[in-house]
């Protein structure tokens, strides 16, 4: 007999499957014998018109065609609904397809005499725990204990809705929303669209997998340790984690509400660079700080008036990036230098990124994880390995007294000041604009192996904004393992042992651009400059 | 035999007295038989040139004369050193006069071939616990336990120093820096420069008393519950509490370091409105966020392009303001309406300011006050009545578990959201620019009676910026007690019972301009508009 938690999960999966069964024409994907790389699956299932609508346009191009009414919102919406269903069959990235709701919305938008809003007709995918516009929306945030609980829309989703978008698909997140992978007892495991043996990253891995399949062009993730940037990087899409309190993040269903030593932020995940800025522009135009007074006011678009000065972080001094990551850095550096930019090293030798992780991991769970583990245990659901890793296997995690919390917060602030001074000192005669660094030590790793967060989480502790962009893919020819490398510590040894070129074949390699806290505008402007140096329009 | 804490205190007072004994020519003020109102004392002691230098100029006018070298820095510095000594003799506002250091600095500045920095030669007074530029600086923050402990300069003071100022006097703060008065076991009680029977307010009451005597034109206070605005209001000077993280506040000596649920901010206290903006301009020009990454980036000066829309808070719904405060509101409202501004009511009936205080008082002392009381007890110094009031007599103060802290923080955030929505709803067809309200239920009250913080602390809970400006003084003829008023609750009864017009004779009455969080620019711009409506240049 199924235990209580399993029967609850079954009801959620039935709901998900029923939502997918609405797709017309029905999607037929053989779930057995799928190729490792799912990139060619859509072409085998969708019509050429659907492929055109979902593959041929950037977000801005598609919006232009919707606004001019050259294409109807309903047709675009149907195409993405069908492609999202293909993605679900391939990589298990959805919690629900919003067939009826999306088509109703699309028809409504088509019925308007004039197109309204800067996102008029754009299908947008959403992470399940953020809630959702619409009636009877429930959100479980991957907690069995919360299955079936009503939850309204978050402020950000109201803004995007008011800008004219269509919500059409909700995506998976891992247990506790605190893995750099995407696996939960409720929805199972989400896979990488380039290689089913690898993770799509997490926690916004449903989004990255879906967008990596072009089952969506734009979605929303959240990031407190890498949850936008890691999955974006692993799936070869663009992701932007703003400084906290630039983008409204209130109203999502989440745990440990009221804990503020380390905050999460929402941010965009998308198929092209331009859409990151578009997303920001739409949000800022709504003056979100009038509803959420915790937000910073304003956003002043930045334009560099001379070539960038970039500091390159080849390693964080704790864990050595795998060879393809180093190759990607070299390729981008060469292009930047060729474009006249100044490139210096970001030397982490004295920057104590390991100390940063100790502080951060403690501040993630200032109650020692009691609330979270209690919720899992109360529902009877198993604690997954990566949950154990991030709570129970972190030496710094314990239930803190108030004075211990103050001490950790003080350490955090001192470390932030220390890092700012390091940036000033390294800038010397000219200010470093951004740091260029890996978003992970590796391409997407095999499942349940994402046990080093340093390359993204460092910037959460510092609250520095970061953007991730695709660069290349793993190529066993170009990226042989360095058999002579001597790991510096146990983490380094574990991470380096994960590398064999063949394991990662086809996996996207992305890089990360980091700016100083609250200098988000400079990060997006630097991404523009660097991509132009790479020959991208 | 003196107990240990008393002998420590004696050494600090000796140091203070010795620093004052350096004044040349020596100041002779009979400490017995001083008039209640100290405003005429300087004229009886200082030379006419000293009176001219300390009374005749606004901050900007004085700076212009220093920059043009029409007046030497040394001469100005000597005048303020002497006047500060008069202030000390009158109202006990100093912890130390920096005779040698200030004159050395002044001579150095005079020796420069060109004047440097926007504050070139301006004497600035500083609150003792902020630390100080210079060698061998100690700071006790009014804790006996910290007497004699070395403490360097804070970031803000480095900025002002680099802008060319002269530090010449350090000022008193109360025990725990958490009274709206200024009384400590170390320095004794600071008095109101308009009426020695009244408090100068606190915690920056040494500053307000000194500046209220024009013993300084510009000083720096700190505010976590009213500590800039209350003393500024009580002494008839200008004070500005920015939104937290606009002005750098790092590096001061304080308690409970690492507690962040409610933050303190530094801000200017000064004799004229223009100097508030000057202070901000100097700080922003230094790009303080490059050293303190917790700061908001930027400051965009605001200029209204149509008449203000002002919401007037006649009462906070908990404690009724005394009659002179209501008269001041009426006078300012009449002037604003005459100037074409739109004036509406800010009705607090449903806004639960009492609930705000419950949350705030709890978040002040999330350890139940253990660290603070422990420090007092360890040194053996008596716990003063207003310390007991703000810790032990507040029902919401207790040592919190992490989960209880999250709950309080959640309540804080919900209340902030609730208040933002109230502002939006009250704005209707046109956005309310600022709230005009009392900065206290009363003029400066008799000593040890400052037991209602609501009129300032409300805006700390909300983290709204606020500026205080002088309006009038208590006039027993114009401000009779309303004998028919029926208090609404025990606090109201206590506060209203404090009013008899004669008690407050000559006491300044100031008002407060409040803006939405992070709309500091609009607060200073509104202050300009309102003062112009009052006929001030």
């Amino acid at each position: 007999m199924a235990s209580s938690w399993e029967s609850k999960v079954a009801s959620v999966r039935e709901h998900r499957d029923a939502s997918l069964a609405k797709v017309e024409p029905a999607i037929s994907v053989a779930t057995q014998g799928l190729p490792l790389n799912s990139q060619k699956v859509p072409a085998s299932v969708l019509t050429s018109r659907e492929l055109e609508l979902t593959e041929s346009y950037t977000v801005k191009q598609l919006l232009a065609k919707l606004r001019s009414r050259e294409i109807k919102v309903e047709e675009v919406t149907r195409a993405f609904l069908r492609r999202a269903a293909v993605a679900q069959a391939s990589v298990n990235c959805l919690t629900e397809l919003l067939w009826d709701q999306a088509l109703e919305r699309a028809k409504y938008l088509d019925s308007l005499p004039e197109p309204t809003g800067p996102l008029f007709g754009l299908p947008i995918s959403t992470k399940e725990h953020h809630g959702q516009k619409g009636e009877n929306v429930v959100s479980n945030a991957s907690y069995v204990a919360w299955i079936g609980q009503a939850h309204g829309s978050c402020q950000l989703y109201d803004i995007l809705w008011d800008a004219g978008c269509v919500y059409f698909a909700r995506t998976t997140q891992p247990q506790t929303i605190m893995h750099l992978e995407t696996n939960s007892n409720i929805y199972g495991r989400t896979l990488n669209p380039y290689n089913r043996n690898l993770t799509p990253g997490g926690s916004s891995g449903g989004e990255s997998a879906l967008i990596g399949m072009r089952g969506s062009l734009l979605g929303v993730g959240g990031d407190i340790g890498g949850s936008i940037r890691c999955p974006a990087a692993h799936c070869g899409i663009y992701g932007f984690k703003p400084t906290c309190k630039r983008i409204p993040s209130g109203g999502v269903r989440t745990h440990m509400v009221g804990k503020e030593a380390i905050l999460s932020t929402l941010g965009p995940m998308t198929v092209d660079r331009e859409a990151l800025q578009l997303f920001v522009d739409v949000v800022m135009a709504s003056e979100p700080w009038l509803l959420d007074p915790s937000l910073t006011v304003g956003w002043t678009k930045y334009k560099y008036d001379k070539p960038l000065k970039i500091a390159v972080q080849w390693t964080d001094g704790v864990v050595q990036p795998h060879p393809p990551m180093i190759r990607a850095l070299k390729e981008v550096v060469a292009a930047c230098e060729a474009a006249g930019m100044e490139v210096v090293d970001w030397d982490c030798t004295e920057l104590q990124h390991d100390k940063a992780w100790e502080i951060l991991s403690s501040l993630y769970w200032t109650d020692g994880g009691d609330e979270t583990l209690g919720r899992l245990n109360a529902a009877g659901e198993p604690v997954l390995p990566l949950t154990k890793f991030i709570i129970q296997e972190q030496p710094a995690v314990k239930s803190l007294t108030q004075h211990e919390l103050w001490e950790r917060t003080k350490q955090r602030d001192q470390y932030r000041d220390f890092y700012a001074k390091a940036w000033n000192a390294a800038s010397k005669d000219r200010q470093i604009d951004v740091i260029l660094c890996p978003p992970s030590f590796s391409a997407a790793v095999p499942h349940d192996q994402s046990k080093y967060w340093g390359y993204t989480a460092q910037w959460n502790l510092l609250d520095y904004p970061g953007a991730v962009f695709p660069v290349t893919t793993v190529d066993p020819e170009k990226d042989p393992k360095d058999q002579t490398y001597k790991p510096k510590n146990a983490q380094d040894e574990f991470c380096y042992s994960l590398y064999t070129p063949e394991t990662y074949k086809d996996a996207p390699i992305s890089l990360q651009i980091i700016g100083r806290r609250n200098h988000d505008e400079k990060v997006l402007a630097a991404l523009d400059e660097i991509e132009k140096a790479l020959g991208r329009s």
Side-chain angles (χ1 to χ4, degrees), chain A:
Chain A
M1 192 179 105
S3 72
S4 164
W5 78 265
E6 286 161 320
S7 63
K8 281 187 181 172
V9 161
S11 74
V12 177
R13 293 188 180 189
E14 279 164 24
H15 175 81
R16 176 194 64 194
D17 295 345
S19 79
L20 282 147
K22 296 197 174 205
V23 175
E24 288 177 13
I27 293 291
S28 169
V29 176
T31 51
Q32 299 298 315
L34 278 167
L36 273 187
N37 187 331
S38 304
Q39 291 297 309
K40 291 181 178 161
V41 178
S44 70
V45 180
L46 302 178
T47 67
S48 59
R49 175 65 170 165
E50 287 169 335
L51 293 172
E52 180 208 328
L53 291 174
T54 54
E55 287 181 4
S56 308
Y57 307 116
T58 67
V59 171
K60 278 203 166 175
Q61 287 166 345
L62 186 61
L63 280 168
K65 290 192 181 290
L66 287 161
R67 174 162 293 277
S68 70
R69 302 226 146 142
E70 187 184 327
I71 313 178
K72 287 211 159 193
V73 178
E74 184 179 346
E75 190 183 16
V76 169
T77 300
R78 283 184 184 275
F80 279 102
L81 282 163
R82 290 243 305 153
R83 189 162 182 137
V86 175
Q88 169 61 16
S90 306
V91 294
N92 189 36
C93 53
L94 298 187
T95 68
E96 185 177 12
L97 193 72
L98 303 170
W99 182 267
D100 293 335
Q101 302 94 315
L103 289 177
E104 183 190 353
R105 170 76 168 169
K107 287 171 184 168
Y108 164 75
L109 293 172
D110 281 329
S111 77
L112 294 174
E114 294 295 331
T116 55
L119 299 180
F120 179 76
L122 184 72
I124 288 183
S125 50
T126 59
K127 195 172 174 181
E128 195 265 359
H129 81 104
H130 295 172
Q132 174 68 51
K133 289 299 280 190
E135 287 175 25
N136 308 320
V137 171
V138 294
S139 174
N140 56 50
S142 294
Y143 282 109
V144 170
W146 285 345
I147 283 175
Q149 292 196 5
H151 193 76
S153 179
C154 58
Q155 184 185 352
L156 177 60
Y157 287 11
D158 292 347
I159 292 166
L160 302 177
W161 181 261
D162 291 342
C165 79
V166 176
Y167 291 125
F168 76 109
R170 300 177 70 190
T171 59
T172 52
Q173 69 255 322
Q175 186 180 58
T176 73
I177 326 177
M178 284 292 284
H179 307 176
L180 290 185
E181 301 198 8
T182 302
N183 182 27
S184 72
N185 292 317
I186 301 181
Y187 300 108
R189 192 184 293 283
T190 304
L191 311 175
N192 191 297
Y194 288 85
N195 186 329
R196 296 164 59 82
N197 289 337
L198 306 178
T199 177
S203 69
S204 311
E207 281 300 326
S208 67
L210 177 64
I211 300 170
M213 293 286 292
R214 284 191 86 97
S216 167
L217 300 188
L218 177 64
V220 182
D223 195 317
I224 195 171
S227 285
I228 288 171
R229 292 160 295 148
C230 158
H234 285 358
C235 294
I237 65 171
Y238 294 80
F240 175 49
K241 178 201 86 71
T243 303
C244 289
K245 300 301 182 185
R246 302 297 304 263
I247 297 288
S249 298
V252 308
R253 177 185 286 287
T254 187
H255 49 195
M256 298 190 281
V257 177
K259 187 174 78 66
E260 63 181 340
I262 294 292
L263 295 175
S264 166
T265 176
L266 303 187
M269 301 171 72
T270 175
V271 292
D272 59 69
R273 175 181 91 238
E274 270 185 336
L276 299 180
Q277 184 67 55
L278 172 68
F279 175 94
V280 169
D281 291 343
V282 168
V283 173
M284 294 302 150
S286 77
E287 300 187 285
W289 44 83
L290 296 182
L291 266 179
D292 179 353
S294 74
L295 297 176
T296 302
V297 172
W299 179 284
T300 309
K301 216 174 280 190
Y302 192 83
K303 176 90 183 125
Y304 289 96
D305 56 8
K306 54 184 170 182
L308 288 180
K309 181 172 178 181
I310 299 173
V312 179
Q313 184 204 89
W314 298 96
T315 170
D316 71 351
V318 184
V319 162
Q320 174 67 20
H322 288 179
M325 205 57 86
I326 300 295
R327 175 170 63 84
L329 281 172
K330 286 180 180 168
E331 288 176 10
V332 173
V333 164
C336 290
E337 286 180 331
M341 298 179 192
E342 183 180 350
V343 180
V344 298
D345 285 344
W346 186 253
D347 181 356
C348 295
T349 312
E350 308 287 335
L351 294 181
Q352 302 178 56
H353 283 220
D354 49 350
K355 170 77 177 169
W357 176 253
E358 179 195 320
I359 300 167
L360 180 64
S361 58
S362 169
L363 291 177
Y364 279 148
W365 314 98
T366 55
D367 69 340
D370 286 352
E371 188 214 78
T372 301
L373 294 172
R375 184 174 300 110
L376 299 177
N377 292 334
E381 66 169 312
V383 178
L384 296 177
L386 289 182
T387 303
K388 287 183 185 150
F389 162 75
I390 196 60
I391 303 178
Q392 292 156 317
E393 295 171 16
Q394 296 305 317
V397 172
K398 57 171 281 201
S399 181
L400 303 179
T401 65
Q402 293 300 328
H403 293 179
E404 287 168 339
L405 173 64
W406 300 352
E407 177 59 28
R408 279 293 188 202
T409 309
K410 189 174 80 177
Q411 290 173 5
R412 179 201 68 190
D413 291 345
Q414 287 172 339
Y415 188 79
R416 287 173 173 176
D417 290 350
F418 161 77
Y419 219 87
K421 281 184 187 149
W423 192 304
N424 295 339
S427 292
K428 295 199 187 87
D429 49 326
R430 190 184 152 202
Q431 190 63 227
I432 291 167
D433 293 310
V434 289
I435 294 172
L436 177 71
C437 59
S440 168
F441 64 93
S442 175
V445 292
H447 302 298
D448 282 336
Q449 305 305 313
S450 295
K451 294 190 176 182
Y452 184 71
W453 292 30
Y455 282 92
T456 46
Q458 172 74 17
W459 315 115
N460 295 90
L461 179 67
L462 293 171
D463 195 22
Y464 285 7
V468 158
F469 63 106
V471 175
T472 182
T473 55
V474 178
D475 181 338
E477 300 256 319
K478 295 180 182 168
D479 304 315
K481 186 163 187 170
D482 176 1
Q483 301 291 356
T484 68
Y485 180 71
K486 294 268 181 298
K488 293 182 287 290
N489 54 61
Q491 278 178 300
D492 195 22
E493 184 164 14
F494 170 77
C495 291
Y496 212 76
S497 75
L498 291 175
Y499 190 65
T500 54
E502 294 69 27
T503 308
Y504 297 90
K505 192 165 177 310
D506 293 345
I509 293 287
S510 305
L511 290 180
Q512 181 175 219
I513 297 168
I514 294 293
R516 298 182 83 129
R517 182 167 179 275
N518 273 326
H519 288 72
D520 302 63
E521 295 89 338
K522 291 186 85 169
V523 168
L524 290 189
L527 176 59
D528 271 2
E529 300 293 329
I530 290 170
E531 286 225 321
K532 282 174 191 160
L534 290 169
R536 300 173 184 178
S537 61

